[in-house]
Amino acid sequence: MYSLREIAEMEEDRQARGVAEIGTASQPIAGGWMTFGGIGSWANQACGLGMRGPVTSEELERLVDFYVSRGVEPRIEVCPFADASLIEGLARRGFRLLEFENVLARRLPPGEDLRARHPHGWPAELQLIQVDPDDEPLVRTFVEVSTRGFRPAGEPLSEVLTEMSIRMVRHPRCDSFLARYDGQDVGGGAMESGEQVAGLFGTSVDVAYRRRGIQTALMLLRLERARQRGCGLAVIHSKPGIPTERNALRLGFFLAYTKVLLGLPAVAWFLPMLLLLLLASSRSPAGELEPERRPNVILVMADDLGWGDVGFNGNRRIRTPHLDQMAASSLKFTRFYAAAPVCSPTRGSALTGRHPYRYGVTFANAGYLKPREVTLAEILRAEGYATGMFGKWHLGSLTTQVRDANRGGPGSEAIYAPPRMHGFDECFCTESKVPTFDPLRVPRRFDHGGSRAQGWDALAEGDEWDSYGTRYWNQNGEEIGEPLRGDDSRIIMDRALPFIVRSVEAGKPFLAVIWFHAPHLPVVAGPEHRAHYASENVLHRNYFGCVTALDEQVGRLRRTLRELRVADNTLVWFASDNGPEGNARAPGSAGSFRGRKRSLYEGGVRVPALLEWPARIREPRATDVPAVTSDYLPTVLDVLGVPHPRPDVPLDGLSLLPLIEGQQFVRPAPIGFRSGNMQALSDNRYKLVLPGGNQPAELYDLLADPAESRDLAGERPEIVGQMRGWLAAWVRSCDASAGGADYAGQDEP
């Protein structure tokens, strides 16, 4: 098991030596190499400097002279583990940031069936040919085909690039593979092996042949070859967010480190301090606002918490003092909706701003968040934010190696979609539900009441237990196992708060997604929280207790933000993913609303919700303007003044910033819902419900009848007709999105 520093040391050395060995001129310097391959060559840059100690001013002067004397811009790749003297010296000389590059790594365990990792099955029409370096025609064919993706369409390959590429193919530690599909040469990729690590590079597939699994197959074949050469580790260098990175992450690669390419233009116009800031942020594009002026964002979500389960909505039985205090300084939404009446779809809406039927997560444990979906985490990470996800993910499997939770394990490659594939740098999460106390354990016997499905009193010392079957994972795809003891909401917050502290100390704004498991069944509360409800039966006392435990962690979060002096400039959103589980006898409360979880009546989708942001919300107030979890993304982007990177993709949410700022605000478009056979449409006053099957449409006036007790469809047919027309158009739009219309022209994930 290598540390990230060890991976960086091995890879920087391999890359520096490999490029130096094929360049036309190269010299060792400061523990690395500087290489020249000719005017216009991709090899014209230094690499590996500063990994073994300080870099002197004389060495940097020599580096500048090496390139300037050859008529090219001095360029250098800088690893985050390089000695600080390198960064300081480059800053003083006016080097500027050119681009970021992610270095992804993957271990190569013996015996792993790598080809079986292909999520769509090995393409039958595909032939991968290892290039014989002595076969001149094949070498030139490979060079021509494999470089098409790195130059404009129709542009011929320059003589310099041709010669550099041929030297690369003929390097003794290099293996190159030509992709031939249905008889056509359509792509290629290469790799270079060091003593312990292999670097995969140069992967390109013709545009007309993308979305056929060819790039993935090229990656897997090279992993096989790397293992044959005795390498225990493979790496890929990729620009952030491109298909290469997404494909690698799906195949088990993890983000090892991010480095930067710096250049020295003819006039060094970047101030040294700005360069240092860019390096520290590792992702901040030039020209953005300083981090301290950009608000932090926290999305807190409870699981199956009913509208009536909190004190600020009138519950007098369950103790939620911290949420009640938060409500007393927040914007409280009295008509806030989960985008769906079940878990997974709502979670995706919170990250994408889109209805779940657009991206294929139509129910719990159905579908997965596709790599081509643009998430809030991806957008904010590109803006220099630290991004972390903690708790219940439920948007795809988290492992393809071992049996896990509802869907994870061997055979789940097609739905493998961990948070790191969707913009999160750090995570501590599960695929799905866990017990809300001692989350990895379930009693072997239920001698004291309760059941595996619904919950139990927390295990006492000496009680026998079995593994529950759901695992926690980190951002590197590593399992976090025992001991994870005690309240699960505390365990989650124990990981979220250090991430927040580190971000603040580093001067970086942050996005923290904190999705609790409580109070989803099975509910388990520790003795301290259960004691408040000792007179209740086993299900009720544990449900109530785990809600109080969750509330306690919300208080801990708010206290930490105040202690860090960032509370004023942090948006803290709180909501539930859907209505409460069970029937009217169950402990969860939908208040006075009709329906519960899995229903599109109000009790299934209207949830408790708050937004605390002291910098903009100076006085507490309540609003009955309809809002939905899909509004998170467009609201945050509006706050930051950041455009969506795909303005052509339809969003279902809208910005609530005018409402937050206290302006008169009427929702300009209704909110559409779909789940199973039900459909619904809710505007500022009326709600249309299509129950499914042969049942007639229903219409309710939510302002006069929030309990949906009086159907007005027969009295107001004109409103029914108008709303049915709007709903039908919206359904067609969602179906078009689900059919791939929003991804036209994009590469296959």
Side-chain angles (χ1 to χ4, degrees), residues 28 49 63 124 134 155 163 246-247 392 408 410 430 449 460 577 612 672 679 686 688 734:
L49 279 69
L63 180 145
D134 296 324
E155 180 180 294
E163 290 306 312
R246 297 196 294 267
N247 285 336
K392 182 178 180 180
T430 67
D577 61 346
E612 185 173 31
Q679 298 178 9
Y686 291 103
L688 176 73
C734 288

mmCIF file of all heavy atoms in Angstrom, residues 28 49 63 124 134 155 163 246-247 392 408 410 430 449 460 577 612 672 679 686 688 734:
data_model
loop_
_atom_site.group_PDB
_atom_site.id
_atom_site.type_symbol
_atom_site.label_atom_id
_atom_site.label_comp_id
_atom_site.label_asym_id
_atom_site.label_seq_id
_atom_site.Cartn_x
_atom_site.Cartn_y
_atom_site.Cartn_z
ATOM 1 N N PRO A 28 19.543 16.501 -16.498
ATOM 2 C CA PRO A 28 19.002 16.353 -15.142
ATOM 3 C C PRO A 28 19.099 17.679 -14.399
ATOM 4 O O PRO A 28 20.034 18.455 -14.606
ATOM 5 C CB PRO A 28 19.896 15.287 -14.522
ATOM 6 C CG PRO A 28 21.185 15.397 -15.267
ATOM 7 C CD PRO A 28 20.838 15.799 -16.670
ATOM 8 N N LEU A 49 11.048 18.061 -10.707
ATOM 9 C CA LEU A 49 11.928 18.905 -9.905
ATOM 10 C C LEU A 49 11.400 19.039 -8.482
ATOM 11 O O LEU A 49 10.190 19.052 -8.247
ATOM 12 C CB LEU A 49 12.061 20.294 -10.534
ATOM 13 C CG LEU A 49 13.050 20.435 -11.709
ATOM 14 C CD1 LEU A 49 12.565 19.701 -12.924
ATOM 15 C CD2 LEU A 49 13.273 21.926 -12.030
ATOM 16 N N LEU A 63 17.364 26.343 -15.817
ATOM 17 C CA LEU A 63 16.167 25.842 -16.487
ATOM 18 C C LEU A 63 15.655 26.866 -17.495
ATOM 19 O O LEU A 63 15.330 26.520 -18.649
ATOM 20 C CB LEU A 63 15.090 25.531 -15.446
ATOM 21 C CG LEU A 63 13.756 24.990 -15.962
ATOM 22 C CD1 LEU A 63 13.177 23.980 -14.974
ATOM 23 C CD2 LEU A 63 12.726 26.098 -16.173
ATOM 24 N N ALA A 124 -17.369 -6.755 -29.372
ATOM 25 C CA ALA A 124 -17.082 -7.906 -30.219
ATOM 26 C C ALA A 124 -16.369 -7.497 -31.507
ATOM 27 O O ALA A 124 -15.567 -8.273 -32.057
ATOM 28 C CB ALA A 124 -18.385 -8.630 -30.544
ATOM 29 N N ASP A 134 9.381 -2.566 -34.849
ATOM 30 C CA ASP A 134 10.193 -2.752 -36.057
ATOM 31 C C ASP A 134 9.355 -2.760 -37.326
ATOM 32 O O ASP A 134 9.904 -2.854 -38.430
ATOM 33 C CB ASP A 134 10.984 -4.068 -35.954
ATOM 34 C CG ASP A 134 11.990 -4.041 -34.809
ATOM 35 O OD1 ASP A 134 12.571 -2.962 -34.571
ATOM 36 O OD2 ASP A 134 12.174 -5.079 -34.148
ATOM 37 N N GLU A 155 -5.890 18.678 -39.664
ATOM 38 C CA GLU A 155 -4.543 19.234 -39.579
ATOM 39 C C GLU A 155 -3.515 18.111 -39.662
ATOM 40 O O GLU A 155 -3.576 17.138 -38.902
ATOM 41 C CB GLU A 155 -4.362 20.003 -38.273
ATOM 42 C CG GLU A 155 -2.966 20.612 -38.123
ATOM 43 C CD GLU A 155 -2.826 21.380 -36.811
ATOM 44 O OE1 GLU A 155 -3.512 22.405 -36.673
ATOM 45 O OE2 GLU A 155 -2.056 20.928 -35.932
ATOM 46 N N GLU A 163 8.271 12.521 -35.466
ATOM 47 C CA GLU A 163 9.523 11.915 -35.002
ATOM 48 C C GLU A 163 9.492 11.639 -33.502
ATOM 49 O O GLU A 163 9.976 10.594 -33.046
ATOM 50 C CB GLU A 163 10.707 12.830 -35.357
ATOM 51 C CG GLU A 163 11.005 12.888 -36.844
ATOM 52 C CD GLU A 163 11.217 11.498 -37.434
ATOM 53 O OE1 GLU A 163 11.985 10.709 -36.837
ATOM 54 O OE2 GLU A 163 10.596 11.188 -38.462
ATOM 55 N N ARG A 246 -13.162 10.301 -16.448
ATOM 56 C CA ARG A 246 -14.358 9.593 -16.022
ATOM 57 C C ARG A 246 -14.233 8.088 -16.274
ATOM 58 O O ARG A 246 -14.627 7.267 -15.445
ATOM 59 C CB ARG A 246 -15.583 10.166 -16.742
ATOM 60 C CG ARG A 246 -15.861 11.628 -16.410
ATOM 61 C CD ARG A 246 -17.262 12.032 -16.821
ATOM 62 N NE ARG A 246 -17.459 12.000 -18.263
ATOM 63 C CZ ARG A 246 -17.285 13.047 -19.066
ATOM 64 N NH1 ARG A 246 -16.880 14.202 -18.561
ATOM 65 N NH2 ARG A 246 -17.516 12.952 -20.364
ATOM 66 N N ASN A 247 -13.689 7.718 -17.430
ATOM 67 C CA ASN A 247 -13.512 6.298 -17.714
ATOM 68 C C ASN A 247 -12.556 5.650 -16.720
ATOM 69 O O ASN A 247 -12.774 4.534 -16.253
ATOM 70 C CB ASN A 247 -12.985 6.112 -19.138
ATOM 71 C CG ASN A 247 -14.047 6.342 -20.185
ATOM 72 O OD1 ASN A 247 -15.236 6.210 -19.914
ATOM 73 N ND2 ASN A 247 -13.633 6.702 -21.385
ATOM 74 N N LYS A 392 -24.899 9.159 3.285
ATOM 75 C CA LYS A 392 -25.592 8.245 2.371
ATOM 76 C C LYS A 392 -25.546 8.791 0.944
ATOM 77 O O LYS A 392 -26.092 9.847 0.667
ATOM 78 C CB LYS A 392 -27.037 8.050 2.827
ATOM 79 C CG LYS A 392 -27.840 7.074 1.975
ATOM 80 C CD LYS A 392 -29.247 6.913 2.535
ATOM 81 C CE LYS A 392 -30.087 5.953 1.714
ATOM 82 N NZ LYS A 392 -31.448 5.794 2.259
ATOM 83 N N GLY A 408 -23.985 -3.162 -4.647
ATOM 84 C CA GLY A 408 -22.562 -3.127 -4.916
ATOM 85 C C GLY A 408 -21.929 -4.507 -4.972
ATOM 86 O O GLY A 408 -22.423 -5.469 -4.400
ATOM 87 N N PRO A 410 -19.218 -7.456 -7.331
ATOM 88 C CA PRO A 410 -18.977 -7.979 -8.674
ATOM 89 C C PRO A 410 -20.270 -7.996 -9.484
ATOM 90 O O PRO A 410 -21.327 -8.386 -8.996
ATOM 91 C CB PRO A 410 -18.469 -9.406 -8.399
ATOM 92 C CG PRO A 410 -17.865 -9.325 -7.027
ATOM 93 C CD PRO A 410 -18.720 -8.358 -6.265
ATOM 94 N N THR A 430 -21.732 5.676 2.313
ATOM 95 C CA THR A 430 -22.253 4.341 2.067
ATOM 96 C C THR A 430 -23.113 4.386 0.810
ATOM 97 O O THR A 430 -23.606 5.440 0.419
ATOM 98 C CB THR A 430 -23.123 3.845 3.230
ATOM 99 O OG1 THR A 430 -24.319 4.639 3.292
ATOM 100 C CG2 THR A 430 -22.390 3.932 4.551
ATOM 101 N N GLY A 449 -36.649 -7.288 21.714
ATOM 102 C CA GLY A 449 -37.616 -6.660 20.838
ATOM 103 C C GLY A 449 -36.964 -6.055 19.611
ATOM 104 O O GLY A 449 -35.744 -6.032 19.460
ATOM 105 N N ALA A 460 -25.762 -3.808 23.585
ATOM 106 C CA ALA A 460 -25.006 -3.628 24.824
ATOM 107 C C ALA A 460 -23.704 -4.402 24.721
ATOM 108 O O ALA A 460 -23.545 -5.282 23.862
ATOM 109 C CB ALA A 460 -25.831 -4.123 26.014
ATOM 110 N N ASP A 577 -35.248 14.003 2.403
ATOM 111 C CA ASP A 577 -35.281 13.501 1.028
ATOM 112 C C ASP A 577 -36.676 13.082 0.580
ATOM 113 O O ASP A 577 -36.913 12.902 -0.613
ATOM 114 C CB ASP A 577 -34.296 12.344 0.851
ATOM 115 C CG ASP A 577 -34.611 11.150 1.737
ATOM 116 O OD1 ASP A 577 -35.420 11.275 2.677
ATOM 117 O OD2 ASP A 577 -34.024 10.073 1.493
ATOM 118 N N GLU A 612 -30.106 28.772 6.295
ATOM 119 C CA GLU A 612 -29.459 29.735 7.182
ATOM 120 C C GLU A 612 -28.264 30.341 6.461
ATOM 121 O O GLU A 612 -27.387 29.624 5.981
ATOM 122 C CB GLU A 612 -29.012 29.060 8.479
ATOM 123 C CG GLU A 612 -28.447 30.044 9.504
ATOM 124 C CD GLU A 612 -28.155 29.390 10.850
ATOM 125 O OE1 GLU A 612 -27.815 28.184 10.859
ATOM 126 O OE2 GLU A 612 -28.275 30.070 11.882
ATOM 127 N N GLY A 672 -42.938 19.941 -11.521
ATOM 128 C CA GLY A 672 -43.442 18.667 -11.998
ATOM 129 C C GLY A 672 -42.912 17.515 -11.161
ATOM 130 O O GLY A 672 -41.787 17.548 -10.663
ATOM 131 N N GLN A 679 -48.222 10.954 -11.486
ATOM 132 C CA GLN A 679 -47.660 12.219 -11.943
ATOM 133 C C GLN A 679 -48.387 13.347 -11.210
ATOM 134 O O GLN A 679 -49.532 13.185 -10.795
ATOM 135 C CB GLN A 679 -47.822 12.390 -13.457
ATOM 136 C CG GLN A 679 -47.111 11.346 -14.286
ATOM 137 C CD GLN A 679 -47.347 11.529 -15.774
ATOM 138 O OE1 GLN A 679 -47.918 12.531 -16.211
ATOM 139 N NE2 GLN A 679 -46.919 10.556 -16.558
ATOM 140 N N TYR A 686 -52.536 25.780 -7.238
ATOM 141 C CA TYR A 686 -53.215 24.523 -7.521
ATOM 142 C C TYR A 686 -52.225 23.372 -7.705
ATOM 143 O O TYR A 686 -51.062 23.570 -8.084
ATOM 144 C CB TYR A 686 -54.068 24.657 -8.779
ATOM 145 C CG TYR A 686 -55.262 25.555 -8.597
ATOM 146 C CD1 TYR A 686 -55.262 26.858 -9.103
ATOM 147 C CD2 TYR A 686 -56.395 25.106 -7.922
ATOM 148 C CE1 TYR A 686 -56.358 27.689 -8.939
ATOM 149 C CE2 TYR A 686 -57.499 25.934 -7.748
ATOM 150 C CZ TYR A 686 -57.469 27.225 -8.259
ATOM 151 O OH TYR A 686 -58.557 28.052 -8.081
ATOM 152 N N LEU A 688 -52.272 19.519 -9.591
ATOM 153 C CA LEU A 688 -52.901 18.473 -10.386
ATOM 154 C C LEU A 688 -52.263 17.141 -10.027
ATOM 155 O O LEU A 688 -51.029 17.041 -9.969
ATOM 156 C CB LEU A 688 -52.697 18.756 -11.877
ATOM 157 C CG LEU A 688 -53.221 17.683 -12.841
ATOM 158 C CD1 LEU A 688 -54.744 17.717 -12.909
ATOM 159 C CD2 LEU A 688 -52.608 17.884 -14.241
ATOM 160 N N CYS A 734 -38.767 15.441 -20.260
ATOM 161 C CA CYS A 734 -37.999 14.503 -19.421
ATOM 162 C C CYS A 734 -37.679 13.226 -20.178
ATOM 163 O O CYS A 734 -36.573 12.685 -20.078
ATOM 164 C CB CYS A 734 -38.786 14.177 -18.147
ATOM 165 S SG CYS A 734 -38.870 15.526 -16.953
#
